[in-house]
Amino acid sequence: MSAPAATGVRSATRARIAERTLRSDRWWLTPLLTVLGLTVFVVYATIRSFVRTAYWVDDYHYLTPFYSPCVSASCAPGSSHFGVWVGELPMWIPLAFLSLPFLLGFRLTCYYYRKAYYRSFWLSPPACAVAEPRARYTGETRLPLILQNAHRYFFYVGFVISLVNTYDAILAFHSPGGFGFGLGNVILVVNVILLWGYTLSCHSCRHVTGGRLKHFSKHPVRYRIWTFVSKLNTRHMQFAWITLGTLIITDCYIMLVASGTISDLRFVG
Ligand code: FES
């Protein structure tokens, strides 16, 4: 049986160039930084999602996003903002089992992250004008990558989870005496605003708000929303990276306060 025909830069119609690239700049730097950044986040998030310690500050009602929503009997008393739906969970199931798989799906199928990890982890291709190491290229036309088309559905769930995070941030305006706020609230609120920036700047959101319209003039409200989302969309990559950072900062701060390592800087209450 003959070998399948080469595709991409090695197909019969492309110029025969022996070198993998003629670029002489540091084209490898961006993929390298991407690998480092994404690896740090995945390792941190995985460890924190499973350790089940220091995720809730009872005095101030701070709940880290990595444990929200917490709906099992294993959750710390007070941290189940939406009630207790299931009994004790074994240690191998994260307490945020309702949200984490969808958040993972949302980010994995994100148009920006796809570009980032296709280039950096799969070298497919690693940069413009740098040939990928494989001879064949099927893109997102087959399993498993055809599942990337489910992104729009992950967007809907991601939208709901952003509402959950917002609710958590509002409930955190609390002190043992009633209303109060401190540095933890500032961090939680900034994190939520940026999470909304990431969610609303999603390409699927842009399509939901303004897609399939023949006449913007007949839909002025949708046109305004689409214009707003389109502006955010130009910053989607920045939101993607910044929110990885703010998620770590938010979780880290709550972990330090919850464990008694530092005290929350209180402004009121
Ligand atoms: Fe990135 Fe939808 S979240 S494109």
Side-chain angles (χ1 to χ4, degrees), residues 106 110-112 151 198 202-204 236:
F106 188 35
C110 163
Y111 290 25
Y112 167 68
H151 182 65
Y198 174 71
C202 168
H203 293 67
S204 292
H236 193 55

Side-chain angles (χ1 to χ4, degrees), residues 4-256:
T7 56
V9 294
R10 296 185 219 294
S11 64
T13 55
R14 301 293 286 268
R16 295 270 162 257
I17 299 175
E19 288 81 3
R20 188 153 165 237
T21 182
L22 299 178
R23 284 181 65 166
S24 55
D25 62 338
R26 293 190 296 168
W27 57 266
W28 43 267
L29 188 57
T30 302
L32 177 66
L33 293 176
T34 305
V35 166
L36 291 176
L38 292 180
T39 304
V40 165
F41 181 80
V42 168
V43 171
Y44 179 91
T46 305
I47 293 173
R48 279 296 289 154
S49 298
F50 282 94
V51 291
R52 293 195 184 181
T53 57
Y55 60 88
W56 166 248
V57 181
D58 195 43
D59 277 352
Y60 311 131
H61 290 189
Y62 294 159
L63 176 65
T64 167
F66 290 126
Y67 284 75
S68 177
C70 214
V71 295
S72 77
S74 303
C75 298
S79 64
S80 299
H81 295 159
F82 298 90
V84 176
W85 301 359
V86 295
E88 298 274 344
L89 293 177
M91 288 302 288
W92 53 271
I93 298 183
L95 295 186
F97 69 95
L98 266 188
S99 59
L100 290 184
F102 294 103
L103 288 177
L104 183 67
F106 188 35
R107 298 245 174 187
L108 268 183
T109 58
C110 163
Y111 290 25
Y112 167 68
Y113 285 115
R114 272 143 79 169
K115 170 191 158 188
Y117 67 76
Y118 286 178
R119 287 189 172 189
S120 56
F121 284 88
W122 292 351
L123 310 176
S124 184
C128 291
V130 182
E132 61 183 316
R134 288 163 213 84
R136 297 222 352 110
Y137 177 78
T138 55
E140 297 174 341
T141 59
R142 301 183 181 176
L143 277 173
L145 293 187
I146 199 169
L147 296 178
Q148 303 281 30
N149 288 305
H151 182 65
R152 74 197 75 169
Y153 304 110
F154 284 116
F155 162 72
Y156 296 131
V157 185
F159 189 94
V160 173
I161 295 171
S162 289
L163 288 174
V164 169
N165 293 143
T166 306
Y167 187 62
D168 291 340
I170 292 170
L171 289 189
F173 284 92
H174 177 90
S175 75
F179 173 81
F181 70 93
L183 181 57
N185 294 94
V186 175
I187 293 173
L188 277 165
V189 168
V190 168
N191 179 55
V192 154
I193 291 172
L194 290 166
L195 285 178
W196 275 116
Y198 174 71
T199 307
L200 297 180
S201 64
C202 168
H203 293 67
S204 292
C205 181
R206 192 163 175 263
H207 180 72
V208 166
T209 53
R212 303 172 75 92
L213 289 183
K214 287 207 169 64
H215 307 284
F216 274 136
S217 56
K218 290 184 182 160
H219 303 272
V221 175
R222 283 186 68 182
Y223 176 64
R224 277 176 177 268
I225 298 172
W226 175 82
T227 307
F228 171 71
V229 169
S230 296
K231 283 185 186 146
L232 285 181
N233 182 255
T234 62
R235 299 271 179 270
H236 193 55
M237 179 183 82
Q238 286 88 334
F239 282 123
W241 280 108
I242 290 171
T243 48
L244 293 189
T246 58
L247 280 167
I248 289 182
I249 290 170
T250 306
D251 177 76
C252 225
Y253 185 81
I254 292 175
M255 176 176 66
L256 293 174

